[in-house]
Amino acid sequence: MTAARVTPPLGRRIACMAYESLLLFGLSLIPAVVGAWFVAQTGKHGALQNDTTLRAFALLLFAVYFVWFWSARGQTLAMQTWRIRVVREGGAPLGQARALLRFIACCLGWFGPATIAVAVLRPPPWPSIGLYGVGVVCWALLALAEPTRQFWHDRLCGTRLVDVRDELRAKARPRPR
């Protein structure tokens, strides 16, 4: 196994996800600004409390962000910081179709079970957030049960996360003349 094919430790992947969530929070401000503009223009203050249109717009922005970065570079901004890359099982880059499939699988894996539980149980907001937290932790821990320590959505999509630190060090070394 080459150095570029080493799976990053779970802790680094979770740290990368935490950084990614901060970036996504910033990206989610775009639909919030659009909603605030709508309220300012129409004067309908209660119209957007449960507006699924803005949620769908946010999800579309997230999909564009991930699919573009995964298919163009194999790394989002957070993945570049943590030196992690997503590749196909054989090491080839992801195309847009596979990147979109991975995005959908990620959404279903990380948030699907909690979304179903919240829809069925209809708990108040704070316990709902707790259910999502439990779902995310459980999905992350499932990687420990997978033989190569990959997340299950990667296994299903034929992708894998790889550590690129050694690859970058090898490129930085001066070549003998």
Side-chain angles (χ1 to χ4, degrees), residues 25 33 45 68 83 110 116 135 155:
F25 174 75
V33 168
H45 294 286
W68 188 79
R83 309 291 194 254
W110 291 105
I116 292 169
R155 177 93 174 205

Side-chain angles (χ1 to χ4, degrees), residues 31-69:
V33 168
V34 168
W37 178 83
F38 175 79
V39 168
Q41 296 301 312
T42 63
K44 297 180 181 181
H45 294 286
L48 296 177
Q49 281 184 329
N50 293 317
D51 191 10
T52 56
T53 306
L54 290 180
R55 291 183 186 143
F57 180 47
L59 189 63
L60 178 66
L61 282 176
F62 296 163
V64 168
Y65 168 79
F66 282 110
V67 170
W68 188 79
F69 274 108

Side-chain angles (χ1 to χ4, degrees), residues 70 101-112 139 153-154 157:
W70 288 340
L101 176 67
R102 186 176 190 269
F103 175 76
I104 293 168
C106 286
C107 289
L108 293 175
W110 291 105
F111 306 111
W139 190 255
H153 54 268
D154 284 312
C157 295

